[in-house]
Amino acid sequence: MTLIGLPMVWWFGEVAIPYYVVVLPLSSFLIGHFVVSRIPKRSTTSLSIAEMWGQWRVFGSLGLPVTAAAILTTSATLWIQTDIRNQLGLEAIGFYTASSVIAVQYVGLVLGAIGADYYPRLTGVIQDQAAARQMVNQQTEVALVIAGPLIILMFVLAPWIITLLYSEAFTPATDVLRWQVVGTLLKVVSFPLAFVLRAEGSGGLYFVTEALTVATMVGATTVGLDYFGLIGAGIGFFIAYAVYVPVLLVTAGPRISFAWSKPVMQMLGSLTLCLLTLCWPVMFLSQLSVAVGTVIGFATMAYFAIELNRRLPLTEILNRTKK
């Protein structure tokens, strides 16, 4: 898809953008149709209306709240962007969008990949509280190992990352990005626990939890824009997830008698200490921040990988993969 779309924009410029928008979903449809058509067909039996209704009701009890929460989140994003435009102008929307793409979407790709494997497994053991607790903690460790070093690097190297991916004109997005990165750390920590409500089928409670977080983000961002300008949008993102974590502990935690394990607390404490004592001061050493930030990021990555290997057989998994 990208191999088709990017050359179109490269050769034809802005004229190709509408065609690029159409080519991406069309390519997905054609490739998906080709792959599905090659799957061997199985014999099926017809279901009665009553049987189908039972299945629809199960899917609807969870699917509708999850969909509604997604719509609410999208609506909140549009609301925030509109508020930024009204108070700070169109240029500020570009800065906010740039920082959001880096802080949220890139880490979101990692979390999405993790969740695709994690969610079905959690659903299979959700009735066993001990097994569910162990899986949530284990998945939190994995998420921190993968996303933790990225968060450190994005925090310290924010100005250079923005310049590299966009241009020097987007430098005002730096402080917004750093606040969002800290909020993303809280999102990573809460990510595995948030799946408990969905795995258990508690759609209504899931929607309430997400709605409260979205409302907090909108409210905190609105107030932050009034007092701090564009940086207030980043602060609002951080506050929303600072509220989200304890809300999840109250709503999802009791379902499996959950508490974070000692290793998770150690990892989270290490990341927090690193941000406060190393990364934050390095921000003001512009000449050294790239080198020091890179060293901190890779050192954190190595430390987390060693710690995770003590609990999970990573070397055995890699050896099996090679075979």
Side-chain angles (χ1 to χ4, degrees):
M1 294 180 288
T2 302
L3 294 177
I4 297 174
L6 289 182
M8 290 174 56
V9 177
W10 179 267
W11 286 105
F12 301 105
E14 296 181 359
V15 178
I17 293 178
Y19 301 98
Y20 176 75
V21 173
V22 174
V23 164
L24 291 180
L26 180 61
S27 301
S28 298
F29 170 77
L30 293 176
I31 294 173
H33 180 74
F34 173 75
V35 173
V36 171
S37 65
R38 297 175 64 86
I39 298 176
K41 295 182 180 180
R42 299 180 179 179
S43 60
T44 58
T45 56
S46 59
L47 298 176
S48 64
I49 297 297
E51 291 173 327
M52 293 176 64
W53 172 250
Q55 295 294 327
W56 290 340
R57 186 173 58 185
V58 172
F59 287 129
S61 62
L62 181 61
L64 290 178
V66 171
T67 303
I71 294 174
L72 194 62
T73 301
T74 302
S75 301
T77 301
L78 295 175
W79 179 285
I80 291 172
Q81 291 178 339
T82 302
D83 199 9
I84 293 174
R85 184 196 64 186
N86 293 338
Q87 295 196 43
L88 304 175
L90 288 173
E91 189 179 58
I93 295 180
F95 299 148
Y96 174 77
T97 302
S99 65
S100 297
V101 168
I102 298 172
V104 179
Q105 294 190 18
Y106 288 168
V107 176
L109 292 175
V110 175
L111 296 180
I114 294 175
D117 170 70
Y118 166 62
Y119 183 29
R121 291 191 294 112
L122 180 63
T123 303
V125 301
I126 195 63
Q127 300 303 324
D128 185 343
Q129 288 193 358
R133 277 197 307 273
Q134 181 181 5
M135 186 173 293
V136 172
N137 275 307
Q138 187 180 80
Q139 202 66 38
T140 305
E141 291 184 51
V142 173
L144 285 173
V145 166
I146 296 174
L150 295 177
I151 290 172
I152 295 295
L153 289 172
M154 285 193 297
F155 187 91
V156 178
L157 307 180
W160 288 267
I161 292 174
I162 288 176
T163 301
L164 178 64
L165 296 179
Y166 296 96
S167 70
E168 292 184 359
F170 284 82
T171 302
T174 299
D175 290 331
V176 182
L177 174 59
R178 282 178 169 142
W179 278 103
Q180 288 182 318
V181 164
V182 178
T184 301
L185 174 60
L186 299 176
K187 181 178 181 178
V188 170
V189 173
S190 61
F191 173 78
L193 183 58
F195 275 90
V196 170
L197 295 175
R198 294 172 61 175
E200 195 186 45
S202 302
L205 191 56
Y206 172 82
F207 175 77
V208 171
T209 302
E210 297 295 315
L212 180 59
T213 305
V214 169
T216 302
M217 184 181 299
V218 171
T221 301
T222 301
V223 175
L225 290 173
D226 291 335
Y227 285 92
F228 305 106
L230 184 59
I231 299 177
I235 296 174
F237 182 88
F238 165 73
I239 292 176
Y241 281 97
V243 171
Y244 187 54
V245 172
V247 168
L248 275 178
L249 290 174
V250 172
T251 56
R255 305 282 173 156
I256 57 173
S257 302
F258 179 76
W260 279 308
S261 64
K262 184 178 179 180
V264 170
M265 296 301 295
Q266 289 175 340
M267 286 187 173
L268 182 58
S270 299
L271 278 172
T272 304
L273 186 63
C274 185
L275 285 171
L276 292 178
T277 62
L278 297 176
C279 298
W280 197 279
V282 164
M283 289 192 316
F284 304 101
L285 304 174
S286 57
Q287 300 300 324
L288 299 176
S289 57
V290 174
V292 176
T294 302
V295 170
I296 293 174
F298 282 103
T300 305
M301 185 184 303
Y303 169 73
F304 278 9
I306 293 171
E307 287 298 311
L308 185 63
N309 189 50
R310 291 172 54 188
R311 304 169 185 86
L312 298 177
L314 296 183
T315 53
E316 295 180 12
I317 294 175
L318 292 176
N319 290 334
R320 288 200 301 267
T321 303
K322 292 178 181 178
K323 295 177 182 180

